[in-house]
Amino acid sequence: MSDKPAAASRRRLLPILDWLPRYDRRLLAGDLAAGAAVTAMIVPKDLGYAGIAGVPIQNGLYAAAAGAIIYALFCTSRQISTGPSSSLAAVAGGAVLATALGGEEAAQLVAGITLVTGVLFLLLAVLRMGWIAQFLSKAVVTGFLAGSAVSVTIGELPKLTGTTAEGDTAWHELGSWVGGLGEIHWTTLLVGAGALALILALRFLRPKAPGALVLVVAGLLASHLFDLGAHGVSLVGDVPRGLPAPAVPTVDVLTDHVSEIAIASVALLLIGFSQTAGDARAFAARHRYRIDVNQESVAQGMANVGAGFFQGMPVSTSLSASSLNESSGARTPLASLTTGALVLATLFVLAPLFSDLPKAVLGAIIIDAVVFGMIDLPELRRLHRVARFDFWVAAAAVVAVLSAGVLAGVVIGVALSLGWLVYVATRPSMPVLGREPGTRVFRDTLANPDDESFPGLAVLRPDGGLFFATAEALDDRIRELQDTAHPPLRALVLDLEGVNFIDSQGAAKLTEIEEITSIDGIALRLARVKPQVRAVLEAQGLIAKIGTDHLHGNVDRAVEAELATPTS
């Protein structure tokens, strides 16, 4: 009997021990087909993602293989495809740019960031702190990704023209590129423009075609047929066959760039977790099974640790690859194992072929990936239409990335999110209410200006908790009502239906408000007080002070009681 709990624990930690022995062979064809389809899609894109991250292109395939295989061992989702993505690569590339590292040191830095990200995912699962991802608002993420896409695109332009560009920011780099256009290498421009035209034509005219794969094949054929390297077109260069030996970054690389690694890892955690949790839940709901979000964090953590050990780059859920996985027939994580195995086969068999790929072709793949994968124009339009302030927050995030760099943009984005959170938390809505004619219903007078009001009596509804951050806002709102009331207020009804939490400072503030209004001859009545709020107010002594006759079950009773009270 003692072995059963241990076996159950092993199956919880490694779900593959549960589903693989019970695998339904009728699902095999669909899983294998899905794995092959995803491989065809991600291999050329992962070459580009490695370019975004500033590491050798084979490192993108190392990460893809490790991420897909290790994720399949630990996951509870059946359709998720895990690997590098444009957004994760942009963050890692931002760290490389911030440190000005190159070559082997850049690869070690990205591997270190990947390892730390994996450890943070594991800590998130152990401590059950998935809520931390909520501190990066959707508006900020939308703006950050759009800004990163523009920044990456600017960085790829020299590959299309065969020129060089320098600059500490995207603006400076763009100016440098424009200034160097007099040195255009026309053969490279022809290759780059043709590659960009081809991949865009496929995207719009044949959206189901694997555009990146077609472009890589076409680029390799053109390179051989026209001997592009001999005509001055820059090629990717040596791409070794096989996998590297597992290794960890050197201590010097880690200790010399602690701040960049920390910032990038936290950003990758926030972006990666929000993608993983949302996508995994969506696929599970569609196929009617349950996922364990904490176990998904474990799976993503282990996938990143594995990718880091094999000199890869950060990995997470890819929605486009996961959607293709699902539509191609994936019904178990065997599809992800298939993808990983086929990427490994690519590394051992086909990797050297990529050596002759023109960098201009790689640049076109990257531009297509980031523009259409990271710039969410429908969401920006929605923000502009629905919540203009959120739109300007997103716009500020775009400007921050372009003006300060991707890594600094992460810090600014988190600051914007926290600032917006503080702003919203400290300024809750507090509408004045009026009574709908012919009913006992009280509503916001701004939305219903014809509702019944009562001279000298105001009904105010604080929406949200009453605590240290909002207490002064309530005080300010009541003073505003006093100053603008005509005739002067003689009674104030606070509808506390929206207040489900109150702390000692909030209770003290309500007591202070009662004292001030009493001095001014204004009666205070409370309506719809929740039990947990009433308990705090009783402990504060406010209920005894105003009397239970000034405590009412609904707003209408409070108003009627006040109207029935003789005025002095």
Side-chain angles (χ1 to χ4, degrees):
M1 293 294 291
S2 60
D3 289 340
K4 289 185 177 180
S9 296
R10 286 194 296 270
R11 286 195 297 271
R12 279 196 299 272
L13 181 62
L14 276 169
I16 192 172
L17 298 177
D18 182 43
W19 63 262
L20 189 58
R22 300 183 292 105
Y23 185 78
D24 186 347
R25 294 185 180 180
R26 291 173 297 181
L27 304 177
L28 182 61
D31 284 339
L32 293 179
V38 170
T39 303
M41 174 188 181
I42 67 170
V43 165
K45 286 191 173 184
D46 290 342
L47 301 178
Y49 297 155
I52 297 173
V55 298
I57 65 170
Q58 63 269 20
N59 291 37
L61 298 182
Y62 299 159
I69 293 172
I70 296 174
Y71 174 77
L73 303 179
F74 292 90
C75 70
T76 57
S77 175
R78 302 171 189 173
Q79 281 79 32
I80 288 296
S81 178
T82 290
S85 72
S86 54
S87 56
L88 304 185
V91 174
V96 171
L97 289 174
T99 57
L101 295 178
E104 179 61 28
E105 286 188 327
Q108 290 196 32
L109 177 73
V110 172
I113 290 171
T114 305
L115 283 168
V116 174
T117 301
V119 172
L120 290 179
F121 262 110
L122 295 175
L123 286 175
L124 201 72
V126 171
L127 301 177
R128 297 181 179 271
M129 291 177 62
W131 50 266
I132 197 171
Q134 299 171 13
F135 285 98
L136 202 57
S137 78
K138 180 67 180 297
V140 168
V141 171
T142 301
F144 169 75
L145 293 180
S148 299
V150 174
S151 179
V152 168
T153 299
I154 291 172
E156 295 303 311
L157 292 177
K159 290 182 182 177
L160 303 184
T161 56
T163 57
T164 59
E166 297 178 347
D168 296 331
T169 69
W171 305 117
H172 294 152
E173 192 171 5
L174 179 61
S176 175
W177 175 73
V178 171
L181 288 179
E183 304 296 325
I184 285 178
H185 188 270
W186 293 102
T187 306
T188 299
L189 178 62
L190 180 63
V191 173
L196 201 56
L198 176 59
I199 198 167
L200 292 177
L202 289 172
R203 175 174 290 278
F204 291 109
L205 300 179
R206 293 288 186 271
K208 292 186 178 180
L213 179 61
V214 172
L215 186 55
V216 165
V217 173
L220 290 173
L221 287 174
S223 182
H224 285 288
L225 290 175
F226 301 107
D227 197 9
L228 294 178
H231 288 82
V233 176
S234 295
L235 305 180
V236 165
D238 181 53
V239 179
R241 192 189 305 270
L243 275 175
V248 295
T250 63
V251 175
D252 288 343
V253 169
L254 295 178
T255 56
D256 291 347
H257 307 290
V258 170
S259 60
E260 289 86 356
I261 292 173
I263 293 170
S265 300
V266 170
L268 292 167
L269 174 72
L270 295 176
I271 295 171
F273 180 82
S274 60
Q275 289 177 337
T276 296
D279 294 348
R281 286 192 179 105
F283 286 113
R286 204 145 55 223
H287 293 274
R288 299 184 180 181
Y289 64 88
R290 297 181 65 181
I291 56 116
D292 183 335
V293 173
N294 280 309
Q295 184 60 32
E296 287 299 305
S297 294
V298 171
Q300 293 291 343
M302 294 303 296
N304 275 282
V305 168
F309 272 125
F310 284 97
Q311 300 178 34
M313 54 190 289
V315 298
S316 184
T317 299
S318 168
L319 181 57
S320 58
S322 299
S323 299
L324 177 62
N325 202 33
E326 176 194 37
S327 63
S328 299
R331 294 299 176 264
T332 76
L334 185 65
S336 184
L337 287 173
T338 303
T339 296
L342 290 175
V343 174
L344 282 177
T346 301
L347 279 165
F348 280 98
V349 178
L350 301 177
L353 293 177
F354 298 126
S355 301
D356 294 327
L357 185 68
K359 288 184 178 180
V361 170
L362 197 60
I365 292 172
I366 291 171
I367 290 173
D368 174 77
V370 298
V371 169
F372 294 98
M374 294 169 63
I375 301 178
D376 192 345
L377 287 178
E379 176 63 12
L380 288 170
R381 284 195 293 266
R382 187 188 73 84
L383 291 176
H384 189 269
R385 183 181 69 253
V386 175
R388 194 65 57 87
F389 186 87
D390 282 3
F391 171 80
W392 290 116
V393 167
V398 172
V399 174
V401 172
L402 297 179
S403 302
V406 172
L407 210 59
V410 170
V411 177
I412 295 171
V414 171
L416 283 172
S417 292
L418 294 177
W420 176 226
L421 176 65
V422 171
Y423 177 83
V424 171
T426 56
R427 288 168 175 78
S429 172
M430 297 185 190
V432 174
L433 308 183
R435 184 161 58 188
E436 182 182 4
T439 73
R440 297 180 179 180
V441 176
F442 279 76
R443 308 181 299 184
D444 186 344
T445 56
L446 285 179
N448 306 278
D450 296 329
D451 280 1
E452 184 181 4
S453 60
F454 309 91
L457 190 156
V459 180
L460 186 67
R461 188 186 68 211
D463 291 337
L466 185 56
F467 57 107
F468 67 92
T470 60
E472 288 302 324
L474 176 61
D475 190 303
D476 292 342
R477 185 74 171 100
I478 290 173
R479 291 179 186 275
E480 179 189 354
L481 285 178
Q482 285 184 264
D483 294 341
T484 58
H486 298 288
L489 287 183
R490 66 179 179 84
L492 173 66
V493 176
L494 290 181
D495 177 9
L496 299 185
E497 180 195 25
V499 178
N500 53 18
F501 167 74
I502 186 170
D503 69 355
S504 59
Q505 193 167 328
K509 177 56 67 176
L510 270 184
T511 302
E512 180 184 323
I513 288 170
E514 190 280 330
E515 292 172 352
I516 293 172
T517 53
S518 178
I519 292 173
D520 293 338
I522 301 172
L524 179 65
R525 293 180 182 271
L526 306 180
R528 297 198 285 187
V529 184
K530 287 183 168 60
Q532 64 270 29
V533 174
R534 177 170 178 166
V536 175
L537 296 181
E538 284 178 339
Q540 173 69 23
L542 179 62
I543 302 300
K545 196 169 186 179
I546 66 172
T548 55
D549 60 326
H550 279 57
L551 207 61
H552 305 275
N554 60 49
V555 177
D556 187 67
R557 292 176 188 170
V559 170
E560 290 299 327
E562 185 57 40
L563 293 177
T565 301
T567 57
S568 55

